[in-house]
Amino acid sequence: MKLKTRFAPLLVVMIIFTLACQCPLSSLLPGPTPTPTPPPEPLPPQVIQAMPARGEEQQLDAPLQLVFDQPMDAQTVEAAFTIEPAVSGAFEWPSERVMLFKPAGSGFERATRYTVTIKESALSAEKLPLDEPVKLRFTTVGFLEVTAVQPAEDTAEVATDGTVTVLFNRPVVPLTAIENLDDLPQP
């Protein structure tokens, strides 16, 4: 009987503490230790940005730029790179994730549609291949063209002092003397 009365105050303290915490008695006792979660599997590399962007015209002497989501093995990326129609050029890597292709000589051909392919054999620095080939299409800058004229062709009875407006497919600066350049609007 002495044993029961001896632990009674301890039991009362534990009940009061449990009620005060409003937590179950099991939370006061040590539980199993959690097992550490393994690190996630590395993902295959991807091209996350390309310059020129979709719908943007490529300047003839500007480099093509590809940005990957992780560091790449430059040698395997360059070996997996093709461009059609063929263009000779050189590769540069400003960082482990950014590849530049600079066309040689006078650059890309004017008003030409190019297709760049990077095959699955391109590897990341972790030696992971691309999931699927990367295909990019772009068009180089075309020729200056007239897109509209006002008054329209075959318009009759146009005032002789009326304004003639010519619209081009890109900004144009009028021909003028060098000393008058500061007076022109910036296209």
Side-chain angles (χ1 to χ4, degrees), residues 43-48 66 68-70 72 76-77 80-81 117-124 127-135:
L43 297 174
Q46 296 180 25
V47 173
I48 57 172
L66 300 176
F68 294 88
D69 67 341
Q70 55 190 282
M72 297 299 288
T76 62
V77 175
F81 179 94
T117 305
I118 301 176
K119 298 179 213 136
E120 298 101 323
S121 57
L123 301 175
S124 71
K127 302 301 181 203
L128 294 170
L130 294 171
D131 247 357
E132 57 188 35
V134 173
K135 281 201 183 270

Side-chain angles (χ1 to χ4, degrees), residues 142-159:
F143 295 96
L144 181 64
E145 297 176 21
V146 173
T147 57
V149 178
Q150 292 176 357
E153 188 177 346
D154 298 327
T155 303
E157 299 181 23
V158 177

Side-chain angles (χ1 to χ4, degrees), residues 30-99:
T33 28
T35 56
T37 54
E41 291 290 321
L43 297 174
Q46 296 180 25
V47 173
I48 57 172
Q49 184 181 13
M51 300 271 301
R54 180 178 281 194
E56 184 179 33
E57 288 184 324
Q58 173 74 357
Q59 297 297 317
L60 302 180
D61 58 350
L64 171 70
Q65 177 180 312
L66 300 176
V67 180
F68 294 88
D69 67 341
Q70 55 190 282
M72 297 299 288
D73 176 353
Q75 189 175 7
T76 62
V77 175
E78 292 172 16
F81 179 94
T82 58
I83 185 166
E84 293 294 327
V87 175
S88 61
F91 295 97
E92 287 185 19
W93 290 83
S95 78
E96 294 177 320
R97 295 179 47 226
V98 178
M99 182 197 81

Side-chain angles (χ1 to χ4, degrees), residues 17 21 67 101:
F17 182 72
C21 291
V67 180
F101 174 75

